Amino acid sequence: MYNQGAVEGAANIESGSRVFVYEVVGLRQNQESDQTNYPIRKSGSVFIRVPYNRMNQEMRRITRLGGKIVSIQPISVLQPVNGQGAVDSANSEVSEPVTPVNANNEEIGKDAPVSTSSEAKGFAKPSKDKKGNTMTQAKAKHADVPVNTYRPNAPFIGKVISNEPLVKEGGIGIVQHIKFDLTGSNLNYVEGQSIGIIPPGIDKKGKPEKLRLYSIASTRHGDDVDDKTVSLCVRQLEYKDPASGETVYGVCSTYLTQIKTGDEVKITGPVGKEMLLPEDTDTNVIMLATGTGIAPMRAYLWRMFKDAERAANPEYQFNGFAWLLFGVPKTANILYQEELEEMQAKYPDNFRLTYAISREQQNPQGGRMYIQDRVAENADELWQLIKNEKTHTYICGLRGMEDGIDAALSAAAAKEGVNWSDYQKGMKKEGRWHVETY
């Protein structure tokens, strides 16, 4: 799903076997599902463990699913990929492709059929470390971030504290905010990471269900700011099977959206370092989200602006500038609306909130207003902000918005004779461009 992430998974391969990891981009479910109107998630990079005796078979399967193999690397069975696990090829034939960790979201799990600095007022100004690097570059690696504390073969058994609806009356679909009790665990995480959920039951091949990854929607201290909980924002996947016409519901998303208070759940992780916030509090943070892609953004904003969080983090007092552009179909689908608008009202100089409500607003061409249209509308201002070396941009949600975002920023950059593609590549190398889309 995302450009630099990997799915944590369990390799059902005998120890000692020769194992290879395929890095694959462009995976989809099948040709028929690509013809549906439902936004089926496509992958950025997915890392798949493949035993030697299945290599040719797996190559054919990936080609059939529209994927492209970027690289093949030999590894030991238990060796992690980029600090994380990889999906074993035995899991690759399930009806819902696995979602990598680099993006969390209409649902970030495996539930789909996986320069010149701006000096503008309020924007953070670039600073250099003693070696001449920007401070955001110097701190980009996050070497101390916890990863894979709990693995699929030994998950933590948490309990559901609450499961609350987020879509108001008249909205589309089912989206729930689910809070889990982590008491007794060593599951520490930071904003921008994901956890895995292993649903009960068996898949179509009679094997135990594999985990699905979901972006964490809470800060490291949890919604109760007591270091004992973790929260998710989950949308129930629902689509029409292109062959039968029957309604199909996502296995894990249905399990989670219908889960009851007190129920036990298998949790793995945390995983992911692609979407982490910079440690510097004097930064600019641009957030572009659709649907449940709001999950990591909520964690960022709580860390920045929630009173209880600020009190719990005396070493992190955000004084930069944050701008959230959030795309939803209807006003009733603005997830966490009260929270967002409360923070904006309290910190008007530090937090800007922009909605793109596709079924209620029109773009300049008279069509629906999507998030890429809002980016185009504000492209010049966003470009000035992006040029600041202390600006980080985070994109999470539907993959379809990326081309429109790139087109808008390309036009703004071209006014100054800058090639956006080249500039964006530089931002990625600096650790300032963060993407998780599906």
Side-chain angles (χ1 to χ4, degrees), residues 102-390:
N102 277 22
N104 213 4
N105 242 305
E106 205 55 33
E107 168 184 20
I108 194 167
K110 183 202 115 176
D111 258 355
V114 236
S115 78
T116 300
S117 300
S118 169
E119 299 294 336
K121 181 179 179 181
F123 293 169
K125 298 176 176 58
S127 62
K128 305 285 184 175
D129 64 12
K130 293 180 180 180
K131 297 181 180 179
N133 297 319
T134 62
M135 294 302 289
T136 49
Q137 285 176 256
K139 298 179 180 180
K141 294 185 178 180
H142 302 283
D144 58 343
V145 172
V147 175
N148 288 328
T149 305
Y150 291 92
R151 295 181 177 273
N153 59 353
F156 171 71
I157 308 301
K159 285 191 176 182
V160 178
I161 296 175
S162 61
N163 186 1
E164 304 293 335
L166 292 174
V167 177
K168 301 181 181 65
E169 185 177 354
I172 299 172
I174 297 174
V175 183
Q176 300 289 117
H177 181 79
I178 310 162
K179 182 166 63 174
F180 303 100
D181 187 356
L182 298 180
T183 300
S185 80
N186 296 315
L187 205 161
N188 299 310
Y189 60 91
V190 299
E191 301 74 21
Q193 289 193 292
S194 300
I195 57 171
I197 301 294
I198 304 176
I202 58 176
D203 62 22
K204 293 180 179 179
K205 290 193 170 185
K207 297 182 178 181
E209 289 285 353
K210 300 295 184 180
L211 69 84
R212 278 73 160 173
L213 289 173
Y214 294 89
S215 293
I216 296 171
S218 53
T219 70
R220 66 191 69 187
H221 300 301
D223 287 348
D224 300 327
V225 199
D226 60 2
D227 301 310
K228 295 180 181 179
T229 69
V230 63
S231 298
L232 300 179
C233 173
V234 180
R235 177 187 188 278
Q236 183 185 31
L237 176 63
E238 177 183 348
Y239 67 97
K240 293 288 186 182
D241 182 270
S244 67
E246 296 180 355
T247 299
V248 180
Y249 297 95
V251 172
C252 196
S253 64
T254 298
Y255 163 65
L256 287 174
T257 54
Q258 297 179 3
I259 204 166
K260 306 298 183 184
T261 299
D263 285 356
E264 293 186 340
V265 63
K266 296 177 181 179
I267 301 173
T268 69
V271 295
K273 296 185 180 183
E274 168 65 17
M275 295 288 284
L276 306 188
L277 280 174
E279 298 174 13
D280 189 355
T281 58
D282 185 29
T283 56
N284 304 311
V285 179
I286 299 171
M287 295 163 281
L288 309 174
T290 60
T292 53
I294 192 64
M297 315 307 182
R298 177 184 187 260
Y300 305 156
L301 292 169
W302 268 53
R303 182 161 173 79
M304 294 172 184
F305 301 122
K306 272 288 185 178
D307 290 343
E309 271 293 323
R310 291 174 70 90
N313 298 295
E315 79 291 350
Y316 185 90
Q317 299 294 300
F318 184 78
N319 58 1
F321 177 74
W323 188 355
L324 171 64
L325 292 88
F326 187 20
V328 295
K330 292 186 174 184
T331 298
N333 287 89
I334 301 176
L335 311 178
Y336 308 110
Q337 181 177 8
E338 292 77 13
E339 291 181 9
L340 297 174
E341 294 177 3
E342 178 184 350
M343 287 185 280
Q344 183 191 40
K346 188 160 188 177
Y347 296 92
D349 295 331
N350 301 93
F351 179 36
R352 182 171 172 180
L353 178 60
T354 304
Y355 295 132
I357 307 175
S358 62
R359 302 196 183 188
E360 298 175 6
Q361 300 172 337
Q362 289 189 335
N363 61 28
Q365 292 74 42
R368 290 183 175 182
M369 174 65 76
Y370 294 109
I371 189 169
Q372 53 266 39
D373 298 309
R374 286 294 187 211
V375 172
E377 182 179 88
N378 296 279
D380 290 340
E381 190 171 1
L382 286 167
W383 167 241
Q384 293 305 315
L385 184 57
I386 285 171
K387 288 193 300 179
N388 188 320
E389 293 174 342
K390 295 188 72 173

Side-chain angles (χ1 to χ4, degrees), residues 115-116 375-376 378-387 405-424 427 433:
S115 78
T116 300
V375 172
N378 296 279
D380 290 340
E381 190 171 1
L382 286 167
W383 167 241
Q384 293 305 315
L385 184 57
I386 285 171
K387 288 193 300 179
I405 290 170
D406 284 338
L409 294 175
S410 179
K415 294 177 182 179
E416 299 180 8
V418 177
N419 181 286
W420 167 248
S421 179
D422 292 340
Y423 192 89
Q424 185 186 57
M427 292 180 67
W433 188 262

